[in-house]
Amino acid sequence: SEVSRCGPGRLLDRPVDGCPAVVKWPVMRSNGHNLVDKRVILGLSGGVDSAVAAVLLRDAGVDLHALHMTNWEDDDGYCTAAADLQDARNVCERIGIPLHHVNFAREYRDQVFSYFLDEYRAGRTPNPDVLCNREIKFGVFRDYARRLGGDFIATGHYARTARTDGRTMLRKGADPAKDQSYFLHAVSEEALSETVFPLGDLQKRAVRSIARERGLEVHDKKDSTGICFIGERPFREFLAAYLPANPGPMRTPDNRTVGEHYGLMYYTLGQRRGLGIGGRHDSSDEPWYVAEKDLEQNALIVVQGQHPLRFSRLLQASAPGWINGRPAALVDGGALACTCKIRYRQADQSCTVREDPAGALLVTFDTPQADVTPGQFAVFYQDDRCLGGAVIERAIRHDEALPKAG
């Protein structure tokens, strides 16, 4: 649908199609719910995406309140919490909506950051953004929104929902370069049914264009990167403050020592930069990559180029979560044909999913996958619908014994 009425609260710098109060941009999908006379609590981060979400919701005439979260409190020169709060204030003043502010730093440390450290301590590579969405943005935030009288919450994520036969399904955002359904796969169907994604049908360039037209100062603000709510900072230096260095050898699969690492937790599978082992006279000029972590020997296994040790067609994943319930195809030992991403921004990969007797998933890909990383998430799709996901435990190579499927 499109906003098509003239009225107060419009702050365009120039008329659009002859009416200063008309914005011919797509508006939110609302899961089939009528938002008239409903209060929507928008998570306003201070960035351009949530700012434009606020504009679209405000123009749609809903009873809109903004809620800004502070979830990290260290004042170390990298945290932008104070500037983000001020940007959120400016947006609310500009479009005329109330702003609430809440501190969830304790909840973030207990429910997200502790998991983040535990996973790195175990030699894995976690994705805290997934847990951050489930526990914070669609967890304690949603609870707090109810206290503010909210009927729905809204965010600036690039994702969509659809309602079919009384069920709420998660769909990819229309902009394939910005789709964030991967990070939302662990959010419950109940939470999704009470969520509006105003940007789901928009391209990123359109979002910045809207912000510019509406005179929002954040129209050219850089997108946030780095760890959820902690931001972009020197990773090894940051992690070392919580997990002390534990140096050990870098070895090739044939047990040649080619360097020394600072600690297994500072590296991830497939990593190429920062290894410091290029230009060796006894090796080719191909780039070096991290292929494995030997926790018992505290050794980092490195290889060159497209080494077979980096590739596998089968992985095992634990703790599966299905947004709309376990797929019927998996019942009685069946197989689910779908696609999968094992990292954000990866193209969908065709695969077959089965369950093992313990309830873990065995995922077989049509083509070999590079650098399958324990601790990351395998997220499953059928067309543009996100089915859910599971935590990657390990890659299984052709020479290993296969777990029996259920």
mmCIF file with all atom_site columns, all heavy atoms in Angstrom, residues 76-87:
data_model
loop_
_atom_site.group_PDB
_atom_site.id
_atom_site.type_symbol
_atom_site.label_atom_id
_atom_site.label_alt_id
_atom_site.label_comp_id
_atom_site.label_asym_id
_atom_site.label_entity_id
_atom_site.label_seq_id
_atom_site.pdbx_PDB_ins_code
_atom_site.Cartn_x
_atom_site.Cartn_y
_atom_site.Cartn_z
_atom_site.occupancy
_atom_site.B_iso_or_equiv
_atom_site.pdbx_formal_charge
_atom_site.auth_seq_id
_atom_site.auth_comp_id
_atom_site.auth_asym_id
_atom_site.auth_atom_id
_atom_site.pdbx_PDB_model_num
ATOM 1  N N   . ASP A 1 76 ? 34.891 3.562  26.225 1.00 0.00 ? 76 ASP A N   1
ATOM 2  C CA  . ASP A 1 76 ? 36.273 3.273  25.866 1.00 0.00 ? 76 ASP A CA  1
ATOM 3  C C   . ASP A 1 76 ? 36.689 3.914  24.542 1.00 0.00 ? 76 ASP A C   1
ATOM 4  O O   . ASP A 1 76 ? 37.705 3.552  23.963 1.00 0.00 ? 76 ASP A O   1
ATOM 5  C CB  . ASP A 1 76 ? 36.486 1.756  25.791 1.00 0.00 ? 76 ASP A CB  1
ATOM 6  C CG  . ASP A 1 76 ? 35.514 1.077  24.841 1.00 0.00 ? 76 ASP A CG  1
ATOM 7  O OD1 . ASP A 1 76 ? 34.767 1.813  24.151 1.00 0.00 ? 76 ASP A OD1 1
ATOM 8  O OD2 . ASP A 1 76 ? 35.500 -0.161 24.785 1.00 0.00 ? 76 ASP A OD2 1
ATOM 9  N N   . GLY A 1 77 ? 35.891 4.851  24.063 1.00 0.00 ? 77 GLY A N   1
ATOM 10 C CA  . GLY A 1 77 ? 36.233 5.516  22.817 1.00 0.00 ? 77 GLY A CA  1
ATOM 11 C C   . GLY A 1 77 ? 35.640 4.867  21.588 1.00 0.00 ? 77 GLY A C   1
ATOM 12 O O   . GLY A 1 77 ? 35.626 5.467  20.512 1.00 0.00 ? 77 GLY A O   1
ATOM 13 N N   . TYR A 1 78 ? 35.124 3.636  21.733 1.00 0.00 ? 78 TYR A N   1
ATOM 14 C CA  . TYR A 1 78 ? 34.529 2.950  20.589 1.00 0.00 ? 78 TYR A CA  1
ATOM 15 C C   . TYR A 1 78 ? 33.005 2.930  20.683 1.00 0.00 ? 78 TYR A C   1
ATOM 16 O O   . TYR A 1 78 ? 32.322 2.823  19.676 1.00 0.00 ? 78 TYR A O   1
ATOM 17 C CB  . TYR A 1 78 ? 35.043 1.503  20.493 1.00 0.00 ? 78 TYR A CB  1
ATOM 18 C CG  . TYR A 1 78 ? 36.515 1.409  20.214 1.00 0.00 ? 78 TYR A CG  1
ATOM 19 C CD1 . TYR A 1 78 ? 37.416 1.051  21.222 1.00 0.00 ? 78 TYR A CD1 1
ATOM 20 C CD2 . TYR A 1 78 ? 37.029 1.689  18.947 1.00 0.00 ? 78 TYR A CD2 1
ATOM 21 C CE1 . TYR A 1 78 ? 38.784 0.970  20.971 1.00 0.00 ? 78 TYR A CE1 1
ATOM 22 C CE2 . TYR A 1 78 ? 38.378 1.610  18.690 1.00 0.00 ? 78 TYR A CE2 1
ATOM 23 C CZ  . TYR A 1 78 ? 39.254 1.243  19.708 1.00 0.00 ? 78 TYR A CZ  1
ATOM 24 O OH  . TYR A 1 78 ? 40.599 1.159  19.451 1.00 0.00 ? 78 TYR A OH  1
ATOM 25 N N   . CYS A 1 79 ? 32.483 3.001  21.894 1.00 0.00 ? 79 CYS A N   1
ATOM 26 C CA  . CYS A 1 79 ? 31.037 2.939  22.086 1.00 0.00 ? 79 CYS A CA  1
ATOM 27 C C   . CYS A 1 79 ? 30.400 4.258  21.647 1.00 0.00 ? 79 CYS A C   1
ATOM 28 O O   . CYS A 1 79 ? 30.849 5.335  22.036 1.00 0.00 ? 79 CYS A O   1
ATOM 29 C CB  . CYS A 1 79 ? 30.719 2.652  23.554 1.00 0.00 ? 79 CYS A CB  1
ATOM 30 S SG  . CYS A 1 79 ? 28.968 2.404  23.864 1.00 0.00 ? 79 CYS A SG  1
ATOM 31 N N   . THR A 1 80 ? 29.351 4.172  20.840 1.00 0.00 ? 80 THR A N   1
ATOM 32 C CA  . THR A 1 80 ? 28.699 5.367  20.298 1.00 0.00 ? 80 THR A CA  1
ATOM 33 C C   . THR A 1 80 ? 27.327 5.596  20.921 1.00 0.00 ? 80 THR A C   1
ATOM 34 O O   . THR A 1 80 ? 26.480 6.279  20.340 1.00 0.00 ? 80 THR A O   1
ATOM 35 C CB  . THR A 1 80 ? 28.555 5.241  18.770 1.00 0.00 ? 80 THR A CB  1
ATOM 36 O OG1 . THR A 1 80 ? 27.721 4.097  18.474 1.00 0.00 ? 80 THR A OG1 1
ATOM 37 C CG2 . THR A 1 80 ? 29.904 5.067  18.100 1.00 0.00 ? 80 THR A CG2 1
ATOM 38 N N   . ALA A 1 81 ? 27.098 5.037  22.112 1.00 0.00 ? 81 ALA A N   1
ATOM 39 C CA  . ALA A 1 81 ? 25.766 5.075  22.716 1.00 0.00 ? 81 ALA A CA  1
ATOM 40 C C   . ALA A 1 81 ? 25.243 6.489  22.888 1.00 0.00 ? 81 ALA A C   1
ATOM 41 O O   . ALA A 1 81 ? 24.075 6.777  22.601 1.00 0.00 ? 81 ALA A O   1
ATOM 42 C CB  . ALA A 1 81 ? 25.783 4.341  24.058 1.00 0.00 ? 81 ALA A CB  1
ATOM 43 N N   . ALA A 1 82 ? 26.073 7.406  23.379 1.00 0.00 ? 82 ALA A N   1
ATOM 44 C CA  . ALA A 1 82 ? 25.613 8.777  23.629 1.00 0.00 ? 82 ALA A CA  1
ATOM 45 C C   . ALA A 1 82 ? 25.220 9.472  22.336 1.00 0.00 ? 82 ALA A C   1
ATOM 46 O O   . ALA A 1 82 ? 24.172 10.138 22.258 1.00 0.00 ? 82 ALA A O   1
ATOM 47 C CB  . ALA A 1 82 ? 26.702 9.566  24.351 1.00 0.00 ? 82 ALA A CB  1
ATOM 48 N N   . ALA A 1 83 ? 26.041 9.330  21.297 1.00 0.00 ? 83 ALA A N   1
ATOM 49 C CA  . ALA A 1 83 ? 25.734 9.956  20.004 1.00 0.00 ? 83 ALA A CA  1
ATOM 50 C C   . ALA A 1 83 ? 24.486 9.340  19.379 1.00 0.00 ? 83 ALA A C   1
ATOM 51 O O   . ALA A 1 83 ? 23.657 10.046 18.773 1.00 0.00 ? 83 ALA A O   1
ATOM 52 C CB  . ALA A 1 83 ? 26.926 9.806  19.057 1.00 0.00 ? 83 ALA A CB  1
ATOM 53 N N   . ASP A 1 84 ? 24.328 8.017  19.526 1.00 0.00 ? 84 ASP A N   1
ATOM 54 C CA  . ASP A 1 84 ? 23.146 7.350  18.968 1.00 0.00 ? 84 ASP A CA  1
ATOM 55 C C   . ASP A 1 84 ? 21.871 7.831  19.654 1.00 0.00 ? 84 ASP A C   1
ATOM 56 O O   . ASP A 1 84 ? 20.836 8.033  18.990 1.00 0.00 ? 84 ASP A O   1
ATOM 57 C CB  . ASP A 1 84 ? 23.281 5.831  19.107 1.00 0.00 ? 84 ASP A CB  1
ATOM 58 C CG  . ASP A 1 84 ? 24.368 5.255  18.220 1.00 0.00 ? 84 ASP A CG  1
ATOM 59 O OD1 . ASP A 1 84 ? 24.731 5.911  17.230 1.00 0.00 ? 84 ASP A OD1 1
ATOM 60 O OD2 . ASP A 1 84 ? 24.851 4.147  18.525 1.00 0.00 ? 84 ASP A OD2 1
ATOM 61 N N   . LEU A 1 85 ? 21.920 8.013  20.973 1.00 0.00 ? 85 LEU A N   1
ATOM 62 C CA  . LEU A 1 85 ? 20.747 8.505  21.693 1.00 0.00 ? 85 LEU A CA  1
ATOM 63 C C   . LEU A 1 85 ? 20.381 9.911  21.228 1.00 0.00 ? 85 LEU A C   1
ATOM 64 O O   . LEU A 1 85 ? 19.201 10.220 21.031 1.00 0.00 ? 85 LEU A O   1
ATOM 65 C CB  . LEU A 1 85 ? 21.016 8.485  23.201 1.00 0.00 ? 85 LEU A CB  1
ATOM 66 C CG  . LEU A 1 85 ? 19.913 9.076  24.085 1.00 0.00 ? 85 LEU A CG  1
ATOM 67 C CD1 . LEU A 1 85 ? 18.579 8.373  23.853 1.00 0.00 ? 85 LEU A CD1 1
ATOM 68 C CD2 . LEU A 1 85 ? 20.316 8.979  25.562 1.00 0.00 ? 85 LEU A CD2 1
ATOM 69 N N   . GLN A 1 86 ? 21.388 10.744 21.009 1.00 0.00 ? 86 GLN A N   1
ATOM 70 C CA  . GLN A 1 86 ? 21.098 12.102 20.542 1.00 0.00 ? 86 GLN A CA  1
ATOM 71 C C   . GLN A 1 86 ? 20.503 12.083 19.137 1.00 0.00 ? 86 GLN A C   1
ATOM 72 O O   . GLN A 1 86 ? 19.574 12.845 18.842 1.00 0.00 ? 86 GLN A O   1
ATOM 73 C CB  . GLN A 1 86 ? 22.362 12.956 20.568 1.00 0.00 ? 86 GLN A CB  1
ATOM 74 C CG  . GLN A 1 86 ? 22.113 14.428 20.232 1.00 0.00 ? 86 GLN A CG  1
ATOM 75 C CD  . GLN A 1 86 ? 21.076 15.064 21.152 1.00 0.00 ? 86 GLN A CD  1
ATOM 76 O OE1 . GLN A 1 86 ? 21.184 14.976 22.369 1.00 0.00 ? 86 GLN A OE1 1
ATOM 77 N NE2 . GLN A 1 86 ? 20.062 15.698 20.570 1.00 0.00 ? 86 GLN A NE2 1
ATOM 78 N N   . ASP A 1 87 ? 21.008 11.208 18.278 1.00 0.00 ? 87 ASP A N   1
ATOM 79 C CA  . ASP A 1 87 ? 20.435 11.093 16.937 1.00 0.00 ? 87 ASP A CA  1
ATOM 80 C C   . ASP A 1 87 ? 18.978 10.638 17.013 1.00 0.00 ? 87 ASP A C   1
ATOM 81 O O   . ASP A 1 87 ? 18.126 11.113 16.244 1.00 0.00 ? 87 ASP A O   1
ATOM 82 C CB  . ASP A 1 87 ? 21.243 10.108 16.092 1.00 0.00 ? 87 ASP A CB  1
ATOM 83 C CG  . ASP A 1 87 ? 22.575 10.689 15.628 1.00 0.00 ? 87 ASP A CG  1
ATOM 84 O OD1 . ASP A 1 87 ? 22.703 11.930 15.597 1.00 0.00 ? 87 ASP A OD1 1
ATOM 85 O OD2 . ASP A 1 87 ? 23.486 9.899  15.307 1.00 0.00 ? 87 ASP A OD2 1
#
